[in-house]
Amino acid sequence: MTYYQFDTIIIGAGLGGLVAGATLTKKGHRVLLLEQHYVAGGCATTFKRKDYIMEVGLHEMDGLYEKDIKKDIFEYLEIDKNINLIKVPEVFRLKSEKLDFTLPHGKKASYDKLVSYFPNEAKNIQRFLTFMDNILTELPQFPLEKWKQTITLPIMPLKFPNIVRASRKSLGAWLDYYFKDEDLKLLLQANLLYYHDDPYSMSMIYFAAAQTSYINGGGYFIKGGSQKLSDYLVSIINNNGGQVVLGKTVKEVIIEEGKAKGVLYHDKYQNSSENRVYAENIISNAAIPVLEKMLPNKEALKINQKVGHLKPSCSLLSIYIGFKGDIKQYGSVNYSTFFSHKEVETLKDVHKNYQGDWTKRNFVFVDYSQIDAGLAPKGKSFGVICCADYIQDWESLSSDAYKAKKEEVASIFIQRLDQKFPGIKNEIEHYEVATSKTIRSYINSPNGTPYGYAQIKGQSGRNRTPLKSPIPNLYFAGSWSFPGGGFTGAIISGYLCATQIQDQPNVVSKDQNEPSLDTENKVTLIEKKLIAEDTVELSFTKPVSFQYNAGQYLILDLLTPKYTNLDISHRPLSIVSHPSEENIRLAMRYSDSSFKKSIKEMDLNTVCKIYGPIGSFSTQNATKGISFIVAGIGITPILPLLKELENQHYSNPVYLFYSNKNEVSTAYHHELQEVQLENFHYVPVFTETEERISAITLFSHLQQWDNFQYYIVGNSSFNKGMKEMLLSNPSINNEDILVDDFG
């Protein structure tokens, strides 16, 4: 007899998994949610760069009015009371060679504005908007289960006339049916990339539901970023008897007697033993093609027979930009502006353009400073350039070629943005590029798509992957299942999935107290000391299972940060301690960020979490002399590497060029003077009174450049400058240069 430890186990903490978990725990189910990343949320997350909270995925979320099922979900989970939702000013602006049009919220307002520009199409504009509205009206009553759809089939044209009618043609075909004006057609689908990349294969049902919700209900952004929503859903699960455990990879779904009974998982970062847990129900929020690999052959084949022929959607390329000033002065006056290239003259040009040259590819610029988004300090701005992307453009590139191409593409789009808003690129303080390859690495999604299966005719509506899998007790939730991708699709999917199983009797006794599975990565602060001006070293207890190599880093997550404004709760930090030490030591410079302020006021015995180790910065392959070129707090991974070289009795010369403003600000200055390593040479460079590290500095000590391997650690501009300087010397090979960029 199987001993059930949980009522439901959920694989993956995207919005679908989180909403399913939150809904079930509110119904009294004992839930375990396992997520491979150290952050919950999937694409509903944020990250911190300099002064900016960078929103990963959310441009705007549709609806939240009486016809939107999310409204009921938000009320049930009390999201509306705990998350600050800000309505954006308009649906979107489209700017092309022929048209500059801003679509307002509201059915009447949008109709009036459209008719004022296209008076000859007035009758069909009304018909098209009504058609879309009717589709959305019918959807909540449409049966989810295949058997209900089958028995309802004879009366579907009577009960769901607009859904049945819409299912016969693609969006592009319906636009051609209603309208003759190509500019109007292009306008009405300007934000197509929120759903798909081809109007002539786009499901009219899915487009109509989402687009009508945007027009009639408006668009909303979550103040502070979508991570706020993900974190709130985590809190619902944890506060209602469930467990959300991060950094855990599910290896296998346990099948017994033909039914899903549990999962086998392990720590993503550690070589720890595998854990086996059981539940009455398993919900997969993972991509369905990824789930297949977790199943025995027989069950994997059952899944593949249902979905193996389905096509994944396109991906997105995003350039996240922090601006040091207010960019309204450069003419950015709309929240989201879609720029259409002059070569896109008809609806038939759209798909080709999305796959075309970067210099011509249509893109959207989302200017979050048009609302009180909570992503940038006062006086600064945050925005995102976004366009269609495809994994085949990136996956065959080497690491260096990949980075170079990202920079090339970023330069193209930033220049194009500057042409639209002259002078705006001069305000850029920091930018970061995410491709389909980036998305794939973080959320483990095939092809790097955030949308799951493409919303095409044969994969949408009643043809969408159902919430119940062919394997008993195994369910799907998220963008790969019904109703589809995007924030709204994932949220609805998670909720509907939970309703499929929430009325089943609980199998776990409420008196049964299972120990927390989320304890092995908890650490306690045991010492905090200043090691240089505004520089602190933190010592934590080391979990028994935590193993790492010199030069690696970890993620430090503050469970109870005192300050949270314009910040996130975690940071990547290089490990200062050597693996042989009893405790884990980390170091950082203080700053005005909420994270650093929380660290400054953190008391001893405070419990935090760590995830890792991560990274491959190492001297294991060193065969020549070693030249460390370091700036500031970049010294942290160097100390354990020096200790490792000392333990190995490394005999080749080792130089450390260490740049700081002055001696007072130099972390571990005295410790470095006492390193017991043969042929070690410490060269501190104090830029307050000396020249910065240059080729002259290095040559005066090294002389034979090609006899060394170079290890660079600092901020991005320091790393880039040092690498370029080294590569300008023909006697230095690229393979002899290693830059620590946190993995």
Side-chain angles (χ1 to χ4, degrees):
M1 179 177 177
T2 302
Y3 167 57
Y4 295 110
Q5 296 159 278
F6 299 92
D7 295 306
T8 303
I9 295 171
I10 301 174
I11 306 168
L15 280 181
L18 289 171
V19 170
T23 303
L24 288 170
T25 54
K26 285 205 71 172
K27 292 290 185 179
H29 282 228
R30 185 166 292 184
V31 170
L32 170 65
L33 191 156
L34 299 167
E35 164 60 38
Q36 55 93 24
H37 194 22
Y38 54 80
V39 179
C43 287
T45 52
T46 57
F47 62 97
K48 179 77 181 289
R49 294 293 185 269
K50 293 188 179 293
D51 287 339
Y52 308 95
I53 298 293
M54 297 199 163
E55 169 59 52
V56 168
L58 180 61
H59 295 173
E60 54 187 299
M61 190 162 41
D62 65 286
L64 300 178
Y65 73 121
E66 63 275 5
K67 289 189 178 182
D68 182 10
I69 188 177
K70 286 199 313 302
K71 187 172 186 293
D72 295 332
I73 298 171
F74 277 32
E75 288 177 357
Y76 175 71
L77 296 176
E78 299 184 289
I79 292 171
D80 54 329
K81 296 179 182 178
N82 291 277
I83 299 296
N84 191 347
L85 294 161
I86 303 170
K87 192 170 186 178
V88 304
E90 64 274 322
V91 181
F92 58 74
R93 175 188 180 188
L94 172 65
K95 197 170 188 315
S96 66
E97 289 286 308
K98 298 180 182 179
L99 189 65
D100 189 349
F101 187 99
T102 301
L103 185 65
H105 290 140
K107 184 176 180 180
K108 184 179 186 306
S110 59
Y111 169 77
D112 290 344
K113 181 81 176 284
L114 287 165
V115 170
S116 71
Y117 273 69
F118 304 96
N120 294 333
E121 299 274 19
K123 183 178 179 180
N124 283 329
I125 289 171
Q126 179 66 55
R127 291 173 62 200
F128 184 72
L129 293 178
T130 301
F131 180 36
M132 291 202 301
D133 194 34
N134 289 341
I135 292 169
L136 180 61
T137 301
E138 291 175 2
L139 278 174
Q141 283 73 48
F142 194 83
L144 296 179
E145 295 87 349
K146 286 292 183 183
W147 67 271
K148 288 185 179 179
Q149 293 174 9
T150 302
I151 64 172
T152 312
L153 201 58
I155 61 170
M156 268 193 184
L158 297 174
K159 193 170 183 180
F160 306 104
N162 292 282
I163 291 177
V164 171
R165 184 167 172 250
S167 68
R168 294 170 182 158
K169 297 179 183 179
S170 68
L171 166 66
W174 279 114
L175 288 171
D176 288 340
Y177 173 81
Y178 277 107
F179 308 109
K180 294 181 180 180
D181 193 302
E182 290 292 339
D183 289 332
L184 177 56
K185 296 179 196 176
L186 290 169
L187 170 62
L188 289 170
Q189 61 83 65
N191 62 337
L192 175 69
L193 201 57
Y194 284 178
Y195 325 113
H196 186 47
D197 63 350
D198 182 2
Y200 286 100
S201 61
M202 174 77 210
S203 162
M204 182 62 195
I205 296 172
Y206 199 79
F207 178 86
Q211 201 77 341
T212 298
S213 193
Y214 273 123
I215 292 172
N216 293 355
Y220 291 83
F221 183 72
I222 299 165
K223 184 171 182 178
S226 59
Q227 188 72 63
K228 299 288 186 183
L229 173 59
S230 299
D231 290 346
Y232 172 67
L233 293 170
V234 168
S235 72
I236 294 177
I237 297 170
N238 287 334
N239 293 338
N240 284 277
Q243 297 185 43
V244 177
V245 186
L246 306 178
K248 307 298 180 186
T249 300
V250 174
K251 180 181 178 181
E252 178 185 332
V253 175
I254 299 168
I255 304 293
E256 295 178 358
E257 300 175 348
K259 299 179 180 180
K261 292 292 185 75
V263 301
L264 194 67
Y265 75 91
H266 60 87
D267 191 280
K268 178 181 178 180
Y269 307 101
Q270 294 287 325
N271 295 321
S272 58
S273 59
E274 294 175 338
N275 299 276
R276 188 179 294 262
V277 285
Y278 288 90
E280 177 70 14
N281 305 294
I282 311 296
I283 297 176
S284 174
N285 183 216
I288 294 178
V290 173
L291 173 73
E292 285 184 52
K293 299 175 183 178
M294 302 177 192
L295 293 166
N297 290 339
K298 180 181 177 182
E299 283 70 27
L301 182 61
K302 284 184 179 180
I303 300 289
N304 189 262
Q305 287 173 340
K306 297 287 186 181
V307 303
H309 63 288
L310 301 181
K311 298 177 181 179
S313 184
C314 68
S315 187
L316 301 172
L317 179 137
S318 298
I319 305 171
Y320 308 105
I321 309 174
F323 298 95
K324 57 190 175 185
D326 185 347
I327 58 176
K328 295 182 184 69
Q329 61 182 309
Y330 300 101
S332 180
V333 295
N334 295 91
Y335 180 78
S336 57
T337 305
F338 290 83
F339 294 101
S340 183
H341 193 267
K342 63 182 179 181
E343 292 186 1
V344 181
E345 297 180 330
T346 73
L347 202 59
K348 289 181 171 62
D349 298 325
V350 170
H351 187 226
K352 182 180 178 181
N353 172 270
Y354 278 140
Q355 297 181 319
D357 191 273
W358 300 108
T359 61
K360 300 176 182 179
R361 195 173 296 192
N362 288 357
F363 70 96
V364 60
F365 177 61
V366 182
D367 179 2
Y368 292 93
S369 68
Q370 297 295 329
I371 60 173
D372 183 19
L375 302 178
K378 187 176 181 181
K380 295 189 177 186
S381 307
F382 173 67
V384 174
I385 295 170
C386 186
C387 70
D389 192 39
Y390 304 89
I391 194 69
Q392 57 265 30
D393 290 336
W394 305 96
E395 63 181 350
S396 63
L397 300 176
S398 68
S399 177
D400 286 344
Y402 175 65
K403 291 176 183 178
K405 185 171 181 177
K406 285 206 302 180
E407 286 302 308
E408 177 190 358
V409 172
S411 178
I412 289 170
F413 278 105
I414 288 171
Q415 185 60 40
R416 291 179 67 189
L417 185 69
D418 195 65
Q419 290 169 357
K420 308 298 181 183
F421 305 121
I424 197 171
K425 72 176 182 180
N426 297 325
E427 290 294 326
I428 295 176
E429 182 176 13
H430 183 82
Y431 69 86
E432 195 132 337
V433 184
T435 69
S436 50
K437 191 174 180 179
T438 311
I439 296 173
R440 184 175 66 180
S441 68
Y442 277 99
I443 66 170
N444 198 21
S445 176
N447 290 16
T449 175
Y451 295 139
Y453 294 120
Q455 285 290 353
I456 58 181
K457 183 180 176 182
Q459 300 179 180
S460 298
R462 65 187 299 266
N463 295 317
R464 194 71 180 179
T465 312
L467 300 169
K468 285 186 177 181
S469 84
I471 301 166
N473 301 346
L474 179 62
Y475 298 81
F476 300 134
S479 59
W480 295 82
S481 57
F482 183 86
F487 274 57
T488 289
I491 289 168
I492 294 173
S493 177
Y495 181 78
L496 293 178
C497 180
T499 63
Q500 300 283 302
I501 59 179
Q502 67 182 18
D503 294 329
Q504 295 180 8
N506 298 69
V507 297
V508 179
S509 168
K510 294 307 161 190
D511 296 327
Q512 178 181 311
N513 293 316
E514 283 295 324
S516 171
L517 302 180
D518 195 20
T519 57
E520 59 188 21
N521 62 337
K522 288 186 177 179
V523 295
T524 302
L525 180 65
I526 55 176
E527 186 178 14
K528 183 167 65 171
K529 65 179 181 180
L530 286 174
I531 53 173
E533 185 178 58
D534 290 328
T535 307
V536 65
E537 181 185 86
L538 308 171
S539 293
F540 291 93
T541 54
K542 183 166 70 173
V544 174
S545 61
F546 190 77
Q547 299 177 344
Y548 62 97
N549 296 321
Q552 290 189 295
Y553 68 99
L554 55 73
I555 306 299
L556 177 66
D557 189 11
L558 307 185
L559 300 180
T560 54
K562 187 172 183 178
Y563 303 95
T564 58
N565 183 49
L566 279 173
D567 214 333
I568 55 180
S569 65
H570 57 270
R571 285 289 192 280
L573 295 169
S574 291
I575 306 172
V576 180
S577 50
H578 185 267
S580 62
E581 294 184 38
E582 182 180 354
N583 300 314
I584 297 173
R585 292 186 291 126
L586 310 170
M588 67 187 73
R589 299 280 200 211
Y590 280 138
S591 72
D592 290 331
S593 72
S594 292
F595 182 90
K596 299 291 183 68
K597 286 164 64 177
S598 295
I599 289 287
K600 195 169 189 175
E601 297 189 24
M602 191 164 68
D603 296 325
L604 296 182
N605 297 317
T606 297
V607 176
C608 302
K609 286 184 181 178
I610 59 170
Y611 300 96
I614 309 171
S616 56
F617 191 65
S618 170
T619 56
Q620 281 185 333
N621 297 322
T623 57
K624 303 179 180 180
I626 294 174
S627 174
F628 294 113
I629 307 173
V630 182
I633 200 60
I635 194 63
T636 48
I638 303 303
L639 274 88
L641 288 174
L642 289 173
K643 181 66 176 176
E644 190 71 9
L645 291 170
E646 184 180 322
N647 291 345
Q648 295 171 4
H649 304 290
Y650 196 75
S651 58
N652 289 323
V654 177
Y655 283 81
L656 169 58
F657 299 90
Y658 184 21
S659 175
N660 286 276
K661 182 179 179 180
N662 49 43
E663 183 176 335
V664 176
S665 64
T666 303
Y668 301 109
H669 180 54
H670 297 295
E671 289 88 339
L672 292 168
Q673 291 174 320
E674 299 174 359
V675 170
Q676 300 297 309
L677 175 63
E678 185 181 0
N679 292 326
F680 176 67
H681 307 273
Y682 175 41
V683 185
V685 178
F686 302 132
T687 58
E688 194 172 61
T689 56
E690 303 175 56
E691 294 293 327
R692 297 180 182 274
I693 296 175
S694 65
I696 295 174
T697 311
L698 300 181
F699 186 71
S700 64
H701 290 275
L702 305 181
Q703 297 182 6
Q704 296 295 323
W705 291 65
D706 56 345
N707 286 343
F708 286 85
Q709 292 169 307
Y710 299 87
Y711 296 76
I712 306 172
V713 196
N715 60 33
S716 57
S717 60
F718 178 85
N719 293 348
K720 182 180 179 181
M722 290 297 106
K723 185 170 184 177
E724 288 176 351
M725 178 191 71
L726 292 172
L727 288 176
S728 67
N729 189 318
S731 63
I732 299 177
N733 297 319
N734 186 52
E735 55 267 26
D736 282 334
I737 302 173
L738 187 65
V739 179
D740 185 14
D741 59 356
F742 279 155

